[in-house]
Amino acid sequence: MDKTQLDALEKYSSLAKLVRDTSLSSGRKEVDKGKDELIWEDVYKKLECKPNGSFLDIGCGFGGVTELCLETAAKENWKLTLFDIPSVIDALHQHLDKNILKNSNIFSGVYPTTTPTAFCEQKFDRILLYSVIHYTDNPKQFISKLVSQLAPQGKLLLGDLPNVDKKGRFLASDFGRKFEAEYQQCNVDSLPHYQTHKGYVKSITTQQNKAINDELILWMHEHFRNSGYNVFTLPQPEHLPYSHTREDILICKN
Ligand SMILES: C[S@@+](CC[C@H](N)C(=O)[O-])C[C@H]1O[C@@H](n2cnc3c(N)ncnc32)[C@H](O)[C@@H]1O
């Protein structure tokens, strides 16, 4: 298991034990509380979900998005599978309605390294990985494994990708600096003035995962298109929590 994955295990295991408010359990900020419906609406539309299919949510967490996914699965008769690390799955059982959980298959492990064989061999019509890929140092291996679990005509949404180059382009713009100053409640002149996105990327010393970048986005397009899939980069609507600095990738199997 890589270092970023180990740190994620630690972060989300302690969140699972501490957080009582499920709307904050996914690590989003207080200011974005209540946006789960907007996220789910966007995911549902991008995946073109249909009744009676199979749906996998990897790194599901135990927050509002999962609750909405469970409700939709019940209404639309999906065969729903949820997957997350063991402590988060424990919290899911503890916090969410047992009646609604009983119709789903629930697995725990650390994807893709420690996963039950029975689960690895399954294929799904729709797969969602929302706000998760930055918790690995090896995103290409993670994504390739997920793509191998798509059923024919299946769709995989890699949602909420914190692409450091995209964030850099935003922070290097006047609009981005002004937005960031308001978000951080500071004076715009106190923020670094990046000439280009590369200046921002060079400056990153925090835990932000630099492996989620333009190179990865372009690799996905080239690699999976050459392997027979269709790949699209999709923007996030402005009302989503990190829409200016994140984007989504949709991978469709023929
Ligand atoms: C930011 S939260 C997102 C939760 C949910 N997808 C949402 O958007 O509301 C990230 C989740 O991914 C899970 N996670 C991170 N790496 C994982 C891995 N390798 N295998 C399974 N789950 C993982 C964490 O435990 C956590 O629940």
Side-chain angles (χ1 to χ4, degrees), residues 79-138:
K79 188 169 168 267
L80 177 63
T81 300
L82 300 173
F83 189 106
D84 209 302
I85 61 173
S87 48
V88 170
I89 292 301
D90 289 347
L92 180 90
H93 284 294
Q94 197 187 326
H95 293 286
L96 301 196
D97 182 348
K98 293 199 172 20
N99 276 328
I100 202 151
L101 284 178
K102 73 173 192 276
N103 296 322
S104 335
N105 297 312
I106 302 179
F107 291 97
S108 65
V110 179
Y111 195 87
T113 37
T114 58
T115 46
T117 318
F119 166 76
C120 276
E121 285 163 2
Q122 287 180 35
K123 307 274 186 207
F124 301 90
D125 298 315
R126 297 291 181 268
I127 302 179
L128 174 63
L129 184 84
Y130 202 88
S131 215
V132 180
I133 198 59
H134 41 297
Y135 296 117
T136 173
D137 286 330
N138 198 342

Side-chain angles (χ1 to χ4, degrees), residues 44-105:
Y44 183 88
K45 221 189 279 167
K46 282 174 172 159
L47 276 171
E48 294 186 73
C49 294
K50 294 188 180 135
N52 307 316
S54 55
F55 190 108
L56 166 65
D57 187 353
I58 284 266
C60 56
F62 59 100
V65 176
T66 320
E67 281 179 298
L68 290 159
C69 180
L70 281 155
E71 280 168 29
T72 312
K75 266 191 236 143
E76 302 202 354
N77 194 33
W78 294 349
K79 188 169 168 267
L80 177 63
T81 300
L82 300 173
F83 189 106
D84 209 302
I85 61 173
S87 48
V88 170
I89 292 301
D90 289 347
L92 180 90
H93 284 294
Q94 197 187 326
H95 293 286
L96 301 196
D97 182 348
K98 293 199 172 20
N99 276 328
I100 202 151
L101 284 178
K102 73 173 192 276
N103 296 322
S104 335
N105 297 312

Side-chain angles (χ1 to χ4, degrees), residues 21-35:
D21 181 342
T22 55
S23 69
L24 295 177
S25 65
S26 304
R28 290 187 191 96
K29 304 222 159 58
E30 188 77 39
V31 58
D32 292 318
K33 219 174 143 177
K35 294 197 178 164

